Amino acid sequence: MAIEFRNVTKTYPDGTVAVDNFSLHVPSHTCTVLLGSSGCGKSTLLRMVNRMVDPTSGAVLIDDDDVATTEPVALRRRIGYVMQDSGLLPHRRVVDNIATVPRLNGASKAEAHRRANELMEIVGLDAAMARRYPRQLSGGQQQRVGVARGLAGDPNILLMDEPFGAVDPLVRVELQRELQRIQTELRKTIIFVTHDIDEALTLGDQIVVLKKGGEVAQIGKPQEIVEAPANDFVAQFLGLDSARRSLNAAPRDGGGWLVSDGRGRPLGVVDTVPDQHTDTD
Ligand SMILES: Nc1ncnc2c1ncn2[C@@H]1O[C@H](COP(=O)(O)OP(=O)(O)OP(=O)(O)O)[C@@H](O)[C@H]1O
């Protein structure tokens, strides 16, 4: 299912213009990342898709149908939504949290639980976790439950709002890998919001770099954005991480090369370096 933002603007009641005349085509079965600093309007845009926010003007279309014509609750049942704090119901066991949407969609309890167990396996959660309450899980495990819950209604569209923002960096990378694996299999239309450049480069088929007010600074594939930033804003945004992105390799006494990042921190040893660059290149 393709999504289209057509000249959407959102002015909140206090006068804040969160998004100003934004347009974007989100192709089906791919992951589009909205990348930008805090307050640039990413969440507002995401929430327009499932009508948690209605645009002040303009329209969001799913396969050419204006979402404004669909009742919000019905719309939300067929669109997966995963947020930063997982949004799990604290007093419900993991299995029941995941089973919520199938139950609302009319599945029997047994059928909904069967589906929940299947999803736990898909997102890499041990079956023993099913009977636990959210507080009895680590942050990373809670996010896996959040992803499972987002997938439970078998939606074509998955909205992800900084879903891995609150977990530590190692777990975050693990969750990104899992999502890539799941996406290879399920091929949902995903809109993923993040302010983390590495996360955007890892997950995005298409990346939309946003300025304040939802102004598009650049749209492109990860490689295009890294190789040819469209303007100073994008270059600077990527540049925040440049020390880590520029790698140096130095020959080692025992053979091979020691690779370090731009801050001089060792990263590992490789046998060969394909092409050597120095800072003066
Ligand atoms: N309900 C609201 N009422 C008034 N202003 C709001 C409301 N929700 C968001 N805003 C404002 O709209 C702008 C965009 O907010 P939004 O949450 O969409 O940005 P964001 O890019 O997702 O930020 P973050 O990464 O911090 O979540 C901000 O200036 C924010 O303060």
Side-chain angles (χ1 to χ4, degrees):
M1 281 187 152
I3 304 168
E4 187 164 345
F5 294 85
R6 199 175 279 174
N7 303 104
V8 289
T9 291
K10 177 64 188 181
T11 308
Y12 283 107
D14 67 356
T16 305
V17 182
V19 172
D20 188 11
N21 196 22
F22 174 89
S23 294
L24 176 72
H25 178 72
V26 176
S28 29
H29 307 301
T30 60
C31 178
T32 290
V33 174
L34 304 181
L35 171 68
S37 316
S38 183
C40 70
K42 307 180 294 292
S43 301
T44 299
L45 285 168
L46 192 78
R47 290 173 183 186
M48 283 182 188
V49 179
N50 65 1
R51 295 198 63 193
M52 288 169 74
V53 169
D54 281 326
T56 316
S57 61
V60 177
L61 298 97
I62 296 178
D63 281 352
D64 297 327
D65 286 333
D66 188 338
V67 296
T69 60
T70 306
E71 199 267 318
V73 174
L75 191 69
R76 279 171 219 153
R77 276 191 208 161
R78 60 182 179 88
I79 296 178
Y81 182 56
V82 187
M83 48 194 156
Q84 179 163 347
D85 66 0
S86 80
L88 300 176
L89 301 166
H91 54 283
R92 288 211 174 168
R93 295 181 194 276
V94 164
V95 66
D96 292 314
N97 263 287
I98 301 173
T100 306
V101 172
R103 287 289 279 156
L104 287 171
N105 285 340
S108 68
K109 192 167 178 184
E111 171 59 20
H113 276 201
R114 196 194 56 72
R115 173 87 183 124
N117 286 319
E118 189 181 290
L119 280 158
M120 286 182 64
E121 196 177 332
I122 290 176
V123 301
L125 275 172
D126 196 297
M129 306 273 171
R131 308 281 307 153
R132 292 200 189 170
Y133 289 95
R135 65 170 185 283
Q136 298 170 314
L137 302 180
S138 71
Q141 288 165 341
Q142 288 182 24
Q143 286 314 109
R144 285 177 197 266
V145 178
V147 173
R149 198 181 54 163
L151 291 168
D154 198 17
N156 291 310
I157 295 172
L158 193 57
L159 306 176
M160 308 187 82
D161 196 350
E162 299 253 11
F164 310 143
V167 295
D168 72 58
L170 285 178
V171 175
R172 187 170 185 154
V173 168
E174 207 177 293
L175 290 172
Q176 290 165 0
R177 285 207 195 109
E178 290 283 349
L179 180 62
Q180 280 181 308
R181 186 184 54 74
I182 292 168
Q183 175 64 351
T184 311
E185 216 171 289
L186 303 183
R187 303 203 355 117
K188 305 289 180 189
T189 304
I190 300 178
I191 304 184
F192 191 106
V193 161
T194 185
H195 58 256
D196 183 290
I197 298 157
D198 288 310
E199 187 160 79
L201 295 174
T202 302
L203 295 177
D205 295 302
Q206 160 177 265
I207 298 175
V208 184
V209 187
L210 293 171
K211 287 180 168 180
K212 201 167 177 300
E215 185 188 335
V216 174
Q218 185 169 4
I219 299 180
K221 294 185 171 48
Q223 196 178 341
E224 290 165 356
I225 289 185
V226 170
E227 285 181 359
N231 46 52
D232 286 351
F233 179 86
V234 177
Q236 223 173 359
F237 203 81
L238 294 172
L240 292 174
D241 236 3
S242 63
R244 204 150 65 70
R245 260 175 233 303
S246 76
L247 298 179
N248 297 307
R252 285 173 77 241
D253 284 348
W257 299 75
L258 176 67
V259 180
S260 53
D261 69 13
R263 295 191 185 97
R265 289 182 301 209
L267 296 174
V269 175
V270 294
D271 291 336
T272 53
V273 266
D275 193 5
Q276 243 195 299
H277 292 282
T278 65
D279 286 345
T280 51
D281 279 350

